[in-house]
């Protein structure tokens, strides 16, 4: 079987993790703090908070902004359920918006979905290709007059907060600048299947505009994501002082140093090794499929944006969802593990039961119904790439050209 994705675990990772295991400190401590600093340097954000997942990061930002019952949060219909679930956790209402042909949320449709209850917009950088931040911000600024703040932080910002779900997008660029500074807060995932992994993990890049103090927000979020404690365990140990207070019923979302160790190794070689290898795989698939008239290739680069080469989202022209499912069954039976990203969230049972209907998001449904994600990971060999491409062509042509 050719796997869909596999983390790159080599001696460097094993050595760094072993170093942490033997250091006497495996929980949140110096390596997590160093990883946060390196991430901020990497994408140029004012501050970065590492947590145990991107899901935790998204929810933390919604809670920081005071999102709750009666509020609406606009998000892309084309995402993983995490983006919507965190809105439900807060008691707010998800307002799904359809996407464009590039799988990313439509700024015009955001404008149409904004009401006086809208508090946050969450675009997704699908497959690592950046959302249209320029247009999203102009829509949000245009809607300033309709914004009704219900707490001091909302009053200070005076508009809808933009939190990106950049789970896929570490290393992508927008106007030549790395993804990490284009929205008020940008949330990355380091789940085992993502471009850069810490086994489980995530990060929030903070870029709140003046007069917000991002360093101060970082400190607040550290407390809010660790039981509301005024000191974390590492600070207690460093200061030889056990005494602390709890100032709110906070969450338990911290990233351990064990995870950060993997992240430090991964980040140090990310631009020099990981991204070029992923690009090479994308380029190979694109060259291979270009000659087939049934193949709709993913957009990876425009004058404005370049992807992080996370998901190779191939679409097959003119097929139905059933045909796509049959093609993927054949591909998997032939030994290549492919995936589909994503079933639009309104099509999932929980959200259907809340009254959402995927028919209201026709572009999302069309993209989904014809999409197949191909294997992309560091250790994928040239021979395996050849096999993937050959198997995909065989299986598609069996179905589309009977
Ligand atoms: C993976 C993923 C998430 C969740 O990331 P976790 O770190 O597992 O919480 C959120 N959104 C998208 C689009 C994802 O692909």
């Amino acid at each position: 079987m050719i796997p869909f994705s596999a983390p790159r675990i080599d001696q460097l990772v094993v050595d760094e993790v072993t170093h942490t295991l033997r250091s006497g400190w495996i929980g949140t401590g110096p390596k997590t703090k160093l990883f946060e600093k390196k991430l901020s340097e990497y994408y140029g954000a004012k501050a970065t908070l590492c947590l145990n997942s991107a899901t935790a990061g998204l929810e933390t930002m919604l809670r920081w902004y005071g999102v709750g019952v009666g509020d609406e949060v606009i998000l892309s219909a084309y995402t993983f359920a995490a983006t919507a679930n965190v809105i439900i956790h807060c008691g707010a209402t998800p307002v799904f918006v359809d996407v464009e042909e590039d799988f990313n949320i439509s700024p015009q449709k955001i404008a149409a979905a904004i009401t006086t209850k809208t508090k946050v917009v969450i675009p997704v950088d699908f497959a690592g290709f950046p959302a249209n931040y320029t247009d999203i911000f102009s829509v949000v600024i245009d809607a300033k007059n309709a914004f009704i703040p219900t707490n001091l932080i909302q009053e200070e910002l005076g508009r809808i907060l933009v939190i990106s779900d950049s789970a896929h997008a570490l290393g992508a660029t927008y106007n030549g600048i790395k993804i990490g500074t284009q929205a008020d807060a940008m949330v990355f995932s380091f789940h085992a299947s993502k471009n850069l992994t810490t086994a489980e993990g995530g990060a929030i890049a903070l870029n709140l505009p003046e007069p917000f103090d991002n360093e101060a927000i970082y400190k607040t979020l550290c407390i809010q994501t660790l039981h509301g404690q005024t000191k974390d365990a590492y600070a207690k140990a460093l200061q030889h002082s056990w005494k602390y207070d709890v100032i709110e019923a906070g969450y338990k979302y911290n990233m351990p140093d064990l995870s950060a160790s993997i992240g430090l190794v991964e980040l140090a070689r990310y631009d020099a090794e990981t991204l070029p290898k992923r690009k090479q795989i994308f380029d190979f698939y694109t060259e291979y499929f270009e000659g087939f008239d049934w193949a709709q290739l993913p957009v990876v680069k425009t004058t404005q944006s370049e992807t992080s080469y996370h998901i190779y989202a191939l679409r097959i022209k003119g097929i139905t969802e059933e045909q796509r499912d049959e093609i993927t069954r054949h591909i998997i039976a032939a030994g290549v593990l492919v995936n589909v990203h994503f079933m639009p969230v309104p099509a999932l049972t929980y959200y259907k039961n809340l009254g959402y209907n995927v028919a209201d998001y026709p572009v999302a449904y069309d993209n989904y119904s014809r999409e197949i994600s191909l294997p992309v990971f560091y250790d994928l060999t040239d021979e395996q790439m050849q096999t993937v491409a050959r198997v995909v062509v065989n299986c598609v042509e069996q179905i589309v050209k009977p």
Side-chain angles (χ1 to χ4, degrees):
M1 270 324 244
I2 297 178
F4 176 71
S5 86
R8 182 183 177 197
I9 305 298
D10 61 1
Q11 197 57 44
L12 277 177
V13 172
V14 171
D15 288 347
E16 186 67 26
V17 171
T18 305
H19 175 266
T20 304
L21 282 169
R22 298 214 162 111
S23 72
W25 199 272
I26 59 175
T28 302
K31 293 219 177 162
T32 301
K33 300 294 164 194
L34 180 62
F35 187 41
E36 288 174 342
K37 186 169 157 273
K38 297 268 181 199
L39 282 166
S40 289
E41 285 167 11
Y42 178 76
Y43 44 59
K46 302 210 176 74
T48 295
L49 175 67
C50 281
L51 297 172
N52 59 17
S53 67
T55 306
L58 291 166
E59 182 160 339
T60 297
M61 287 316 299
L62 291 178
R63 296 210 183 262
W64 173 78
Y65 206 49
V67 171
V69 177
D71 293 333
E72 293 177 354
V73 176
I74 291 175
L75 76 161
S76 172
Y78 211 88
T79 184
F80 180 57
T83 327
N85 287 349
V86 294
I87 300 166
I88 300 284
H89 296 171
C90 293
T93 304
V95 176
F96 296 102
V97 162
D98 205 0
V99 293
E100 298 187 337
E101 208 198 296
D102 68 0
F103 295 95
N104 283 336
I105 194 165
S106 157
Q108 291 81 1
K109 289 178 187 161
I110 294 175
I114 289 174
T115 72
T116 51
K117 294 177 180 167
T118 310
K119 291 292 163 68
V120 175
V121 172
I122 312 181
V124 178
D125 301 322
F126 177 81
F129 191 75
N132 189 341
Y133 290 101
T134 313
D135 289 0
I136 291 168
F137 268 91
S138 54
V139 164
V140 161
I141 307 257
D142 282 350
K144 256 186 142 168
N145 290 337
F147 184 71
I148 303 177
T150 48
N151 63 38
L152 289 176
I153 294 177
Q154 293 177 11
E155 217 164 276
E156 184 97 71
L157 188 64
R159 62 161 167 82
I160 293 167
L161 180 75
V162 182
I163 307 171
S164 76
D165 179 337
S166 295
H168 300 171
L170 189 75
T173 59
Y174 190 78
N175 291 332
I177 295 166
K178 287 215 156 75
I179 284 294
T181 55
Q182 292 76 6
D184 300 315
M186 308 194 79
V187 179
F188 297 95
S189 173
F190 308 130
H191 175 263
S193 68
K194 302 302 203 275
N195 276 17
L196 184 154
T197 188
T198 61
E200 295 283 1
I204 308 170
L206 293 167
N207 307 287
L208 272 299
E210 298 274 335
F212 287 99
D213 175 349
N214 287 280
E215 198 52 46
I217 297 169
Y218 167 84
K219 288 190 180 127
T220 303
L221 295 181
C222 282
I223 292 170
Q224 293 182 341
T225 54
L226 199 62
H227 285 306
Q229 295 175 104
T230 51
K231 252 189 230 174
D232 66 18
Y234 191 65
K236 288 174 206 168
L238 273 188
Q239 296 167 14
H240 302 276
S241 154
W242 59 268
K243 197 153 195 172
Y244 66 94
D245 197 5
V246 167
I247 54 176
E248 64 180 282
Y251 294 84
K252 180 63 171 69
Y253 286 161
N254 56 308
M255 173 186 281
D257 273 16
L258 219 43
S259 286
S261 329
I262 308 174
L264 283 167
V265 174
E266 287 272 80
L267 187 60
R269 63 193 183 191
Y270 193 66
D271 277 2
E273 299 175 25
T274 308
L275 286 178
K277 174 64 191 254
R278 299 189 76 97
K279 180 176 188 308
Q280 186 208 327
I281 299 167
F282 268 61
D283 288 347
F284 173 84
Y285 287 148
T286 289
E287 250 169 64
Y288 199 100
F289 295 119
E290 234 158 23
F292 297 94
D293 55 5
W294 46 257
Q296 183 180 352
L297 307 174
V299 176
V300 295
K301 200 174 173 179
T302 60
T303 49
Q304 179 160 265
S305 298
E306 184 172 359
T307 182
S308 65
Y309 301 95
H310 179 53
I311 293 170
Y312 194 89
L314 178 67
R315 276 167 288 183
I316 316 298
K317 292 177 190 163
I319 58 167
T320 63
E321 182 181 354
E322 292 69 31
Q323 286 176 310
R324 188 276 315 281
D325 289 352
E326 199 179 343
I327 294 168
T328 56
R329 272 196 298 275
H330 283 277
I331 296 172
I332 292 169
V336 176
L337 280 177
V338 289
N339 254 301
V340 170
H341 294 92
F342 291 104
M343 220 164 133
V345 181
L348 301 169
T349 299
Y350 176 79
Y351 289 90
K352 270 200 299 207
N353 289 344
L354 288 180
Y356 297 99
N357 184 349
V358 73
D360 296 334
Y361 314 93
V363 184
Y365 179 76
D366 175 64
N367 284 340
Y368 153 76
S369 66
R370 302 185 295 104
E371 198 269 355
I372 303 172
S373 307
L374 307 185
V376 181
F377 56 92
Y378 187 83
D379 293 314
L380 192 69
T381 66
D382 289 355
E383 202 191 331
Q384 287 176 318
M385 286 179 225
Q386 294 274 357
T387 305
V388 171
R390 194 162 11 89
V391 165
V392 168
V393 169
N394 284 343
C395 295
V396 170
E397 298 206 329
Q398 257 178 45
I399 309 288
V400 298
K401 293 185 180 166

